[in-house]
Amino acid sequence: MNNWLAVSTLNYIYTYLIKGMTNLIAIIRKNYKAIWVTIIIIGILYLAGYVFYLFYNQRRYDTITTNQKIIELFENATPMVTTEITTTSQTTEETKYIEKLTTPIPILVLASTDNQDYIDFINHYWIPLLTWLDSHRGPELNVYIYLIFGAGNSFDAVNIPEALKQYFLIFEDIPESYTPGILQKTVRGFEEMGVKHPDYTLLYRTNISTFLLLDRIVARMNKVIDENGHGKQNTVCTELVTQCNATGVSGIYWGCQLNSPPEYNKHKLDTNIRYVSGTDIMLSHDVVQFIIDNKGKLNYDIVDDLEIGHFLHDNKNIIGTNPVEHILWKCKPEDIHMNNYLAEVLNDIQTNNNFMIVRLRCPDSSNTRKPDTDVMKFLLSNYYS
């Protein structure tokens, strides 16, 4: 009985299996074109998925590799001012220079709040840097940074701690403008520094979108001073000092050297006169005082850096000099990943000790300065950690 039941069951399954296979073959024969199209589509989708998988994992690997590169660069980086500069037993050239300048170093920063990018720069870079500097200032880093503003700026979106308000200089009687405002703010800032820090030797002026490598700025200033009689009047002219006039007086006017552009011929200016870029002006106290004393003779219709250069040339026979490449100019390309760009900026800084500032002036495709803000935040959180 049991054998009969088993055989009957197997025959039943076999019959219907054969019948099913026959029907399937008939369907395939009838619809073979549609079936082959389906198989091809499935194959294409599978291949596309596999290619995407490979691409995703490569991007993930690139990001991990880039982040590891950033970590390695910081691990191998030269220590910041809190460790290297304060170590008097060091015998390196940079440390030797840093030990010299103990007088205050005023740094003036052209600033405004007339667009969101500048507000972001202030909130995410300048205020944290001012906070850091207040807790690290000392004889070897006697730096004071002041942001200078004209009239009409709103600070509603700027989070200024009470202790830092002293570093925000607002000149309500000066228009916030390219001309004459920037030159007027600069001269007024010069006057303020003479009151706040009357014993300063060198002064530095830059702008709101410049990242400062303060230890290198101090080192460079000490080298300039070392070569130039500590910023005092002398009759010796070296490669780092400006040209001496007939009376033997030399003043320091140092920075990124440019030639006067042709369009200023309309002002009857000598286009061969060199001047220092406004992002990077280093002046000795005597030269600053000369500008203040003769501020009524300045042409405020001309952009600030160009007019300062021509004025010093015409009235004091001083020509701006700079024998070294010391500005890192950076602008993020659209086709580079942000992590790769940050690694590139950091690598440039670490492989060239001459760089003392990073000049960031590059909008993205939406015409915002977010890439510049990201670089500032990244460098700030690591360079000044």
Side-chain angles (χ1 to χ4, degrees):
M1 181 67 180
N2 290 337
N3 290 337
W4 178 84
L5 180 61
V7 170
S8 299
T9 302
L10 289 174
N11 287 335
Y12 180 82
I13 294 173
Y14 178 76
T15 301
Y16 278 92
L17 182 62
I18 294 299
K19 185 177 180 181
M21 290 296 296
T22 303
N23 292 335
L24 179 62
I25 292 172
I27 293 173
I28 292 174
R29 287 177 176 177
K30 184 177 180 180
N31 301 282
Y32 74 93
K33 291 184 179 179
I35 292 173
W36 276 112
V37 170
T38 302
I39 292 173
I40 291 172
I41 291 175
I42 292 173
I44 292 174
L45 291 176
Y46 176 82
L47 181 62
Y50 182 69
V51 171
F52 175 79
Y53 171 79
L54 293 177
F55 175 77
Y56 170 79
N57 275 275
Q58 182 63 40
R59 287 292 299 271
R60 181 173 178 270
Y61 173 79
D62 288 345
T63 300
I64 293 172
T65 303
T66 299
N67 290 337
Q68 183 61 35
K69 181 179 179 182
I70 292 173
I71 293 171
E72 291 174 355
L73 283 168
F74 276 117
E75 288 176 346
N76 297 325
T78 302
M80 184 46 190
V81 288
T82 54
T83 56
E84 182 177 341
I85 291 181
T86 56
T87 305
T88 57
S89 61
Q90 297 283 342
T91 58
T92 63
E93 184 179 42
E94 290 301 310
T95 304
K96 179 188 69 173
Y97 291 139
I98 290 172
E99 291 173 353
K100 293 181 180 180
L101 185 59
T102 57
T103 55
I105 302 174
I107 296 180
L108 295 176
V109 181
L110 294 173
S112 72
T113 61
D114 61 4
N115 66 63
Q116 186 59 47
D117 293 315
Y118 291 167
I119 293 173
D120 290 341
F121 292 163
I122 296 171
N123 283 330
H124 299 299
Y125 168 55
W126 289 106
I127 288 178
L129 179 60
L130 291 171
T131 302
W132 181 93
L133 185 57
D134 260 4
S135 62
H136 290 81
R137 186 178 294 111
E140 293 82 15
L141 190 66
N142 199 9
V143 175
Y144 295 83
I145 298 174
Y146 296 91
L147 278 66
I148 54 178
F149 301 83
N153 286 283
S154 171
F155 294 90
D156 294 342
V158 181
N159 306 312
I160 310 174
E162 190 65 32
L164 300 182
K165 289 183 178 180
Q166 60 180 312
Y167 304 120
F168 286 71
L169 305 182
I170 305 169
F171 308 134
E172 292 291 356
D173 59 331
I174 295 177
E176 197 66 84
S177 60
Y178 193 56
T179 59
I182 293 180
L183 183 54
Q184 290 175 334
K185 287 198 303 184
T186 297
V187 175
R188 184 69 62 81
F190 288 167
E191 293 174 327
E192 288 288 329
M193 295 306 98
V195 175
K196 293 181 178 295
H197 307 287
D199 57 338
Y200 78 84
T201 303
L202 289 177
L203 176 149
Y204 191 71
R205 203 217 70 176
T206 185
N207 51 42
I208 195 170
S209 55
T210 300
F211 188 90
L212 305 178
L213 308 175
L214 290 176
D215 57 334
R216 299 186 184 186
I217 292 175
V218 174
R220 178 55 57 185
M221 284 184 165
N222 278 281
K223 184 171 179 62
V224 172
I225 289 173
D226 183 64
E227 297 288 336
N228 294 283
H230 297 273
K232 299 179 180 178
Q233 296 181 358
N234 61 73
T235 58
V236 179
C237 292
T238 68
E239 65 168 354
L240 285 175
V241 77
T242 52
Q243 290 188 356
C244 296
N245 64 18
T247 61
V249 177
S250 65
I252 294 173
Y253 173 44
W254 193 95
C256 179
Q257 179 181 295
L258 303 172
N259 288 323
S260 300
E263 58 263 29
Y264 284 95
N265 283 331
K266 61 185 178 182
H267 298 290
K268 298 181 179 179
L269 298 177
D270 182 354
T271 58
N272 293 319
I273 293 177
R274 293 174 297 171
Y275 70 100
V276 170
S277 167
T279 194
D280 174 56
I281 303 176
M282 185 192 301
L283 297 166
S284 57
H285 198 147
D286 60 315
V287 176
V288 174
Q289 191 59 49
F290 180 79
I291 294 173
I292 293 172
D293 293 342
N294 295 276
K295 62 182 180 181
K297 299 178 182 179
L298 294 171
N299 185 344
Y300 292 91
D301 292 328
I302 299 178
V303 66
D304 60 303
D305 51 1
L306 186 60
E307 171 59 10
I308 289 173
H310 282 275
F311 179 78
L312 292 176
H313 172 271
D314 295 343
N315 294 277
K316 203 172 174 60
N317 197 30
I318 291 178
I319 298 177
T321 62
N322 169 24
V324 297
E325 180 186 3
H326 65 285
I327 300 179
L328 176 58
W329 304 85
K330 296 304 295 185
C331 183
K332 180 186 177 300
E334 288 291 331
D335 59 348
I336 184 172
H337 191 278
M338 191 63 193
N339 278 354
N340 292 333
Y341 178 60
L342 293 175
E344 176 186 302
V345 174
L346 183 60
N347 184 66
D348 289 342
I349 291 173
Q350 295 297 338
T351 56
N352 190 333
N353 289 328
N354 282 328
F355 290 142
M356 56 188 243
I357 64 173
V358 183
R359 182 69 172 101
L360 301 165
R361 190 176 182 180
C362 187
D364 59 15
S365 58
S366 301
N367 202 33
T368 72
R369 302 281 293 278
K370 187 179 184 303
D372 294 343
T373 304
D374 290 343
V375 172
M376 287 181 169
K377 291 165 64 176
F378 171 75
L379 292 179
L380 180 72
S381 63
N382 291 278
Y383 200 82
Y384 291 102
S385 60

